[in-house]
Amino acid sequence: MLYNQNQLKIYNSISGKKEDFTPIHSGKIGMYVCGPTVYNFVHLGNCRTFISFDLVFRYLKHLGYQVRYVRNITDVGHIVDDADAGEDKIAQKARLEQIEPMEVAQKYTVNFHQILKQFNNLEPSIEPTATGHIIEQIQVIQKIIDNGYGYEVNGSVYFDIEKFDQTYDYGVLSGRNIEDMIANTRELDGQSDKRNPLDFALWKKAEAEHIMRWPSPWGDGFPGWHLECTAMSTKYLGDHFDIHGGGMDLKFPHHECEIAQNEASCGNTPVNYWMHANMLTLNGKKMSKSTGNNILPQELFSGENTILSKAYHPAVVRFFILQAHYRSILDFSDDAIQASEKGFQRLMEAIDNAANLPVSSHSNFNVQEWKQKCYDAMNDDFNSPILIAHLFDAVKAINLIQDGKESITQNDKEVLTATLNAFVFDVLGLFNEDVNTDSNDKLENVVNILINMRNEARANKDFALSDLIRNQLAAIGIELKDGKEGTTFTL
């Protein structure tokens, strides 16, 4: 049963505005997200995209939809800006490591899965590979040729942009003008076969030294980068489906070309809602391996890096990422994630305390209104930072109820705890297993020693020392609370 107390709105990149979400088939949703190119370790920016769409997947499931989530693995192809020039990165990596290209793909696919598992991402419904769908890609190419929008030259097949634009609109997603694009397209090696420098490859002839190759009606070769997503999305979701997602960097040319390929082969636009996650920066600058301004998730989890002051648990990193809206640029820094770690610990502590709250005959905290605000936030284009702000409203209420300054009824307490658990664990996908367990145990022991010293100082009427301990702990974010059963602390 769907939760329909409020209308879900999604920002549609193709219209540039938020739109009411209506699935093509009632109660069922088809969603495709462009997966990784498995030639290297998955980086944190990629992880942000996949965590963002894991949030979307989780919330749609939470609402009661049956979601088929398809996320591909790119394990073949020339993966550069125009998808036509340069060397296949998987084949290039295979030469460097002196192994087979599919060993490269397997190695980094395993790494991708391990990292996303650590981030507590749900597995997609289907995870197809490009190499496993060569036949389907050849079939799409043949349809495009038969419909007059593709042409073969010397064993390669290209998409005819100018011919396509006479009937359809190339640039509908990115808002680019075809005349301007043609004027600004630089001549690249290997483009002399094209009718127009803007035309992109559907199939590339494999030269003698090219390792990854397949037979086709046009000779031995390999598919173009853009083609794989068209072939796999339509195979598993149909020619017309609900949601297509990916990183902002894929909007042009990759997603623009996907739209063109689908319209050229099937005659209809493929997707109702296009969603794009924004980039992740590091210390205010673009992440880059060449400049060293880069960090891999595993380096972040282990603390083995020169950028951050300590290791951070995957749950804390996930929480940090979800504190920003998926469409906004997020800057990753040591100070920012330290603050997130403290917030995460406060949230988890409040959830633990919620189950043991004392109950009363009336409530000060309007639980139903708060619950609706949580849904309103997520219904507003999956606005996780606003949702988290509302969750901390509940944290504040829990602390006040625990201190006896506010009250809650048994029924409201049950609604509060159920809603908290649903949004924190099911929707946001957070988890509280072994997060800084060793560090927390040691910290707790140290703080308890200081509490005992403070108690002794108070007994001896040494209030200067007592205040000094309290104030210095407060300065580093540790708050002491004196109660009837003794002194406790919170981070």
Side-chain angles (χ1 to χ4, degrees), residues 41 81 128 237 351 439:
F41 295 112
D81 288 345
L237 299 175
I351 290 172
S439 298

Side-chain angles (χ1 to χ4, degrees), residues 166-338:
Q166 291 171 9
T167 304
Y168 299 98
D169 180 11
Y170 185 77
V172 65
L173 178 63
S174 61
R176 302 190 185 201
N177 179 279
I178 189 170
E179 286 79 13
D180 292 339
M181 285 189 278
I182 292 172
N184 293 325
T185 300
R186 58 190 175 91
E187 290 290 337
L188 294 172
D189 292 339
Q191 287 194 334
S192 57
D193 290 340
K194 297 182 181 183
R195 295 176 182 171
N196 189 304
L198 198 61
D199 293 350
F200 59 88
L202 298 170
W203 186 264
K204 287 289 288 182
K205 177 183 178 181
E207 301 301 331
E209 68 276 5
H210 199 90
I211 304 172
M212 302 180 82
R213 58 174 64 218
W214 291 265
S216 80
W218 316 285
D220 283 1
F222 51 92
W225 171 33
H226 311 308
L227 188 70
E228 62 176 277
C229 289
T230 294
M232 289 186 282
S233 64
T234 55
K235 174 171 182 174
Y236 296 110
L237 299 175
D239 295 342
H240 186 206
F241 56 96
D242 297 293
I243 298 171
H244 193 314
M248 194 74 76
D249 57 322
L250 298 180
K251 192 173 183 179
F252 185 88
H254 186 54
H255 290 161
E256 194 76 74
C257 292
E258 277 192 65
I259 293 173
Q261 288 168 159
N262 197 284
E263 291 178 333
S265 62
C266 304
N268 61 268
T269 186
V271 180
N272 281 357
Y273 303 88
W274 285 91
M275 298 178 65
H276 293 93
N278 216 323
M279 66 186 293
L280 185 70
T281 58
L282 180 59
N283 293 322
K285 298 178 182 177
K286 183 179 179 180
M287 285 194 180
S288 170
K289 292 177 185 176
S290 60
T291 63
N293 193 53
N294 183 61
I295 187 169
L296 296 174
Q298 207 58 54
E299 296 170 335
L300 180 58
F301 305 155
S302 68
E304 296 175 2
N305 62 81
T306 59
I307 295 174
L308 304 176
S309 61
K310 54 175 280 191
Y312 292 95
H313 194 278
V316 172
V317 182
R318 183 183 178 97
F319 179 65
F320 168 78
I321 287 172
L322 294 175
Q323 282 184 293
H325 191 267
Y326 77 90
R327 285 192 288 113
S328 65
I329 294 175
L330 174 60
D331 187 52
F332 190 92
S333 69
D334 198 37
D335 289 344
I337 196 167
Q338 276 193 39

